Amino acid sequence: MPQLKRESTTSSSFQCATCKKAYFNNGTYLDLTVSIGAKQYTEAKPVSTEVFRTPLVSFLYERGWRQNFVWGGFPGPDREFEMAKKYLKPTLGGNIIDASCGSGLFSRRFAMSGLFSLVVALDFSENMLRQCSDFIKQEKSFPTENLTLVRADISRLPFVSSSVDAVHAGAALHCWPSPSAAVAEISRVLRPGGVLVATTFILDGFFPAIPFLRILRQNIGQVSVSSNIFLSERELEDLCKACGLVDFTCVRNGSFIMLSATKPR
């Protein structure tokens, strides 16, 4: 895949220099999923992934779904955005991936802020990306020149290693099928000094400490519609460290956590 820059993501099509596979822009988003172009092969995804691909959930996400997160301690999008900007300060002026962006709740804020040269709104859900596009069309004087919508798998990011300045993942980590694979991919694409900022629900207490309860928690999470697994603060820190990120720091409120970690220089 090309370096992460505007001209490499807006053309109607381009070809991977290594495998010669063609990728296309359908006018709304650029589809960079591994299976794009396959006629017979389909890859099964967990319920926690598929539910967000449905038109109904995509439509409701900013129309009531996300607002309910305040009951879990989330401070609300505007406050979350201000908190994230503080962690992202070292990367301002660079590019940023809003990973698992949903309907672009934060992608649009990043683009309108002018703080980054390029904002990539990335999600696996086609319908979420369409909702993001629809919201953009409703905005007056929206700076579309620095925002690109990309469909991709969080565990298979289609970007060159060390080409991304920052990654933001709002209320997403608990929905990822494999948090370790996703954070490892994020670590791979971040430049040295690049920053990951993420928010998620956490679960502390007896579950992380007792092996049997930890396994039970994971199994419950995997059959849940809305989540894969809720990790504890200590587990999140250990996950970032295992994936090569350092300087873990976080802010908590109830079940809400905002974390930041950096790729070593």
Side-chain angles (χ1 to χ4, degrees):
M1 290 294 98
Q3 291 283 342
L4 188 60
K5 50 189 178 182
R6 178 67 184 176
E7 56 267 30
S8 70
T9 57
T10 56
S11 60
S12 59
S13 65
F14 67 88
Q15 190 178 62
C16 176
T18 302
C19 69
K20 308 303 180 183
K21 181 177 180 178
Y23 294 86
F24 301 92
N25 191 326
N26 65 10
T28 301
Y29 57 84
L30 185 63
D31 197 328
L32 299 181
T33 52
V34 173
S35 59
I36 184 66
K39 296 180 179 180
Q40 301 296 326
Y41 175 74
T42 57
E43 187 174 47
K45 292 289 183 180
V47 175
S48 59
T49 298
E50 292 301 310
V51 70
F52 290 106
R53 296 179 68 189
T54 63
L56 178 60
V57 171
S58 299
F59 179 82
L60 292 176
Y61 189 74
E62 285 191 48
R63 299 176 175 90
W65 183 296
R66 187 58 161 75
Q67 288 83 340
N68 287 322
F69 287 11
V70 296
W71 298 105
F74 276 68
D78 290 336
R79 177 57 182 154
E80 289 173 50
F81 181 64
E82 292 302 316
M83 293 168 64
K85 284 197 300 184
K86 293 180 180 179
Y87 283 129
L88 293 167
K89 191 174 181 179
T91 67
L92 297 185
N95 55 49
I96 185 171
I97 296 175
D98 189 22
S100 296
C101 67
S103 53
L105 185 65
F106 291 98
S107 306
R108 304 194 307 274
R109 283 173 166 80
F110 283 125
M112 294 178 69
S113 72
L115 295 173
F116 293 89
S117 60
L118 173 64
V119 179
V120 175
L122 183 146
D123 205 282
F124 189 74
S125 169
E126 306 93 322
N127 284 304
M128 283 293 193
L129 293 170
R130 292 189 187 104
Q131 284 293 320
C132 181
S133 178
D134 288 344
F135 280 124
I136 290 171
K137 292 174 183 177
Q138 295 171 19
E139 296 277 357
K140 293 182 180 180
S141 303
F142 189 92
T144 55
E145 66 278 0
N146 72 332
L147 176 65
T148 297
L149 276 59
V150 172
R151 180 174 183 243
D153 190 328
I154 188 63
S155 296
R156 297 168 182 155
L157 294 175
F159 304 111
V160 172
S161 298
S162 301
S163 63
V164 178
D165 295 298
V167 174
H168 172 265
L173 194 148
H174 55 276
C175 296
W176 292 342
S178 173
S180 60
V183 176
E185 268 293 86
I186 290 170
S187 179
R188 178 186 67 79
V189 302
L190 281 175
R191 301 184 195 276
V195 176
L196 164 65
V197 175
T199 60
T200 186
F201 291 99
I202 58 172
L203 182 63
D204 290 325
F206 291 110
F207 279 101
I210 302 175
F212 170 76
L213 293 180
R214 186 166 62 243
I215 295 171
L216 177 63
R217 177 194 60 177
Q218 183 172 356
N219 289 334
I220 292 173
Q222 287 175 340
V223 299
S224 169
V225 169
S226 61
S227 67
N228 176 56
I229 186 172
F230 297 123
L231 300 174
S232 68
E233 178 185 331
R234 184 173 297 180
E235 287 172 321
L236 288 168
E237 181 176 6
D238 193 43
L239 170 61
C240 290
K241 181 179 180 181
C243 293
L245 301 178
V246 299
D247 299 331
F248 178 93
T249 185
C250 68
V251 175
R252 297 180 53 169
N253 179 41
S255 298
F256 164 84
I257 187 171
M258 174 175 282
L259 64 90
S260 174
T262 303
K263 186 170 181 177
R265 294 184 182 276

